[in-house]
Amino acid sequence: MFKERIKSALIVALIANALFLVSQLWLGNMVWQDAESVFSSWTNNPVFRFFAPRQATLSVPRENLSRPRRLVINDGSLWVAYYNTDSSFDALAARARFFVSAFLRGSAKREGSLTYAQWLDYMSERSLYAEYPIAMAPTLLARTMGITATDIDDDLSAIKEMLILPSDASNGVRLLARNEDRIIMYSFDRTLYSFPESYLVEYSRTNPSDGYYEFAFSTLLGLSEERQVQLDDMVLFSDTEQTASAIYPMSVISDGDYSSILNAFYFNAQPLRHYTDSDMSVNFVENYATIKIYPDELLEYSAISPQRGIRLCDADAPLYETVNAAIDFAERVWAACNTQTALNVLVSGDLLDEENDGRRTITFDYYFDGRPIVVNIEGADREAMKSGIELEILDGRLVSYRQLLRNYTKTQYSERSVNFVTALDYFVSEFSQREESVVIEDLFLGYMDSGTQEQLTASWVARLRGGEIYERRIEQ
């Protein structure tokens, strides 16, 4: 009797699953091109997930690596923006992911290279724009999406932006992949892939933005050699003012107890040589490495030699495995802090297949409520810190690890900021005093943590071409 019930339950589940897949075909206008995509969609649908084992924890850095930073619909009359923290982001991201996955699997035909001017022309048409947090090697992007191999790296060494053009009377679905000046167009078989313009119009109508958006290139603010201070063409901005809560950096070390953190680096906490420097930093010494923790809880691990560093992966490990190992170790250190929270960080440095004699640096930045937290610690007595976490890996071994140990909490205080254009005017006025021209690559409302352990109020942050960062709190 029990076996009959199990069989009946499985039959019901399979029928429900079949109905779900058919509905995706009818409502989504998508046709799968191979068995792998069918399985992927099956394992992600609610019926299968009910029976499948659930993961105990979510790795936020991994999840963020495979998701676009933002998606932007051009519905023919205006741009509608969706950030990966928005409630209406996921459904649109699933549609974009379908075509990006097919593209990485080699299901799209290479049409040829485009000029930057052509890219901007296509951006002005009805389209779906996807921007990833960093530029990634195609092999890495593919692996983050569950695709074991791709040939796209023969065309592009990295991908940061994609533009999906819907099908129309003359063309099938097209995808443009871009990294800086390298832009290539691909096309999909129109008998297998459908992406009607009406989808973009309907989605933007039923899921409106919280403001009116523009790309810099579509205004008088974009790149121009005639101006002293220029704004990168792909900076997206809104005319709305934004409200952000003040946040407070919380200590993650309890009463000077360093034992769990030391164990994360495979130090034997008892007994262990340690001493305190004149700057009040606590130093721990082990046979093959040292750990220094400053009063502001900046942690620094350093191996005495590359051969003595902590083994994270094989010396010849591919990029995907190296990045995974780096994330695993950062999460290991975070777990040792006993915060009982996920490690809310984004990979912040480009990840390319190129290496410097087996050496690779991987960085992460904190964020809170979808807003970036820029770490900017200066000091004559120590190396500047420009990221929340920095790992240096040589031949698969961790030779250096630095982290500003932080857990942020929201305060009751919030403040309404000036809008983008007002903030831009402020920076243009400031940078116009320079002799050389300035290009602002990004301008956003975020937080700056300089290690003071004081309340952080949202402020406007400008990233310049060349890596300089400026932060200003602009009063209304």
Side-chain angles (χ1 to χ4, degrees):
M1 178 66 71
F2 179 74
K3 290 183 178 180
E4 290 298 323
R5 288 178 180 174
I6 293 293
K7 290 164 85 176
S8 298
L10 288 174
I11 290 172
V12 170
L14 290 172
I15 292 173
N17 183 69
L19 291 174
F20 175 85
L21 297 179
V22 170
S23 71
Q24 295 302 296
L25 284 171
W26 287 345
L27 300 177
N29 296 306
M30 295 186 289
V31 181
W32 293 306
Q33 77 281 12
D34 55 34
E36 183 177 359
S37 58
V38 173
F39 181 77
S40 175
S41 294
W42 183 37
T43 55
N44 284 316
N45 84 62
V47 176
F48 186 90
R49 287 202 306 267
F50 179 81
F51 291 98
R54 292 171 172 78
Q55 284 188 319
T57 58
L58 170 68
S59 174
V60 175
R62 286 187 181 85
E63 178 75 8
N64 286 331
L65 193 60
S66 64
R67 288 161 59 88
R69 170 192 176 193
R70 63 188 174 198
L71 297 167
V72 184
I73 288 178
N74 181 346
D75 70 359
S77 59
L78 53 83
W79 277 287
V80 186
Y82 306 93
Y83 287 82
N84 58 17
T85 53
D86 296 340
S87 58
S88 51
F89 177 86
D90 288 343
L92 188 61
R95 177 59 65 97
R97 185 185 179 97
F98 173 79
F99 289 104
V100 173
S101 296
F103 154 69
L104 291 170
R105 290 190 185 98
S107 299
K109 176 185 175 184
R110 188 185 192 279
E111 296 293 345
S113 299
L114 300 179
T115 64
Y116 181 62
Q118 289 174 312
W119 163 267
L120 295 182
D121 287 342
Y122 282 116
M123 283 287 300
S124 301
E125 297 183 8
R126 279 182 177 164
S127 57
L128 174 58
Y129 169 80
E131 181 193 12
Y132 288 85
I134 59 172
M136 281 183 282
T139 51
L140 176 60
L141 180 59
R143 290 294 301 274
T144 65
M145 301 177 71
I147 301 167
T148 56
T150 182
D151 294 328
I152 300 303
D153 50 357
D154 293 338
D155 296 334
L156 291 159
S157 61
I159 298 174
K160 190 174 190 293
E161 301 166 279
M162 295 190 202
L163 188 68
I164 303 172
L165 302 170
S167 49
D168 55 30
S170 305
N171 301 285
V173 182
R174 290 162 293 166
L175 184 147
L176 281 61
R178 175 180 182 238
N179 183 50
E180 297 181 343
D181 295 331
R182 183 73 167 159
I183 308 163
I184 300 180
M185 175 185 281
Y186 301 82
S187 63
F188 293 91
D189 187 335
R190 63 185 308 155
T191 64
L192 297 177
Y193 296 88
S194 177
F195 187 34
E197 292 182 342
S198 58
Y199 175 86
L200 297 176
V201 175
E202 179 65 16
Y203 199 94
S204 61
R205 184 184 67 82
T206 55
N207 300 278
S209 288
D210 58 357
Y212 179 75
Y213 282 89
E214 290 279 4
F215 280 98
F217 78 83
S218 66
T219 70
L220 298 177
L221 302 175
L223 293 172
S224 172
E225 295 181 356
E226 299 176 359
R227 287 194 295 275
Q228 169 74 10
V229 182
Q230 305 172 52
L231 188 63
D232 188 270
D233 284 335
M234 300 310 296
V235 172
L236 181 73
F237 62 92
S238 168
D239 61 341
T240 58
E241 297 176 349
Q242 303 176 48
T243 300
S245 298
I247 62 175
Y248 193 83
M250 304 291 290
S251 173
V252 300
I253 299 178
S254 302
D255 301 323
D257 182 8
Y258 304 104
S259 58
S260 59
I261 293 177
L262 296 175
N263 288 334
F265 289 88
Y266 304 99
F267 274 46
N268 184 5
Q270 297 294 337
L272 188 65
R273 292 169 290 165
H274 70 279
Y275 61 92
T276 302
D277 270 339
S278 58
D279 60 3
M280 301 307 295
S281 62
V282 182
N283 298 260
F284 299 91
V285 182
E286 196 254 359
N287 289 337
Y288 305 126
T290 61
I291 290 179
K292 177 189 286 282
I293 301 178
Y294 291 92
D296 57 9
E297 297 192 357
L298 172 60
L299 177 151
E300 295 182 341
Y301 160 90
S302 179
I304 62 171
S305 70
Q307 295 76 22
R308 297 298 188 180
I310 298 170
R311 170 66 70 187
L312 297 184
C313 55
D314 292 339
D316 58 351
L319 176 59
Y320 176 75
E321 292 182 12
T322 304
V323 173
N324 260 316
I327 293 174
D328 283 341
F329 192 83
E331 291 183 327
R332 172 185 173 88
V333 174
W334 187 248
C337 296
N338 295 315
T339 65
Q340 306 303 315
T341 61
L343 178 59
N344 287 322
V345 295
L346 284 166
V347 178
S348 54
D350 293 346
L351 294 173
L352 311 180
D353 273 330
E354 304 167 356
E355 287 189 33
N356 182 16
D357 297 327
R359 188 179 300 272
R360 186 178 295 281
T361 300
I362 299 176
T363 60
F364 302 86
D365 281 336
Y366 292 107
Y367 67 96
F368 188 91
D369 273 356
R371 298 192 187 281
I373 300 174
V374 179
V375 171
N376 189 26
I377 296 179
E378 303 285 357
D381 59 338
R382 59 183 176 182
E383 184 181 350
M385 183 75 170
K386 300 296 184 181
S387 301
I389 305 174
E390 298 175 355
L391 296 90
E392 186 176 342
I393 302 170
L394 178 61
D395 294 332
R397 290 185 179 273
L398 181 69
V399 296
S400 173
Y401 182 96
R402 307 177 76 215
Q403 179 173 0
L404 182 63
L405 298 173
R406 283 288 187 269
N407 194 23
Y408 299 92
T409 184
K410 184 184 294 186
T411 70
Q412 295 181 343
Y413 175 75
S414 63
E415 187 176 75
R416 195 166 187 82
S417 173
V418 300
N419 65 21
F420 178 95
V421 174
T422 302
L424 178 63
D425 285 343
Y426 181 94
F427 283 106
V428 168
S429 176
E430 180 175 339
F431 296 146
S432 294
Q433 309 304 316
R434 296 188 175 190
E435 294 184 1
E436 70 281 2
S437 62
V438 173
V439 176
I440 301 175
E441 290 198 327
D442 202 1
L443 180 59
F444 56 88
L445 189 66
Y447 302 94
M448 179 80 78
D449 191 338
S450 57
T452 61
Q453 294 182 312
E454 298 176 351
Q455 178 175 287
L456 306 179
T457 303
S459 55
W460 284 94
V461 181
R463 291 186 187 272
L464 306 188
R465 183 170 296 174
E468 294 177 83
I469 301 174
Y470 293 87
E471 173 257 354
R472 297 291 183 271
R473 187 165 177 265
I474 305 171
E475 301 286 348
Q476 283 193 324

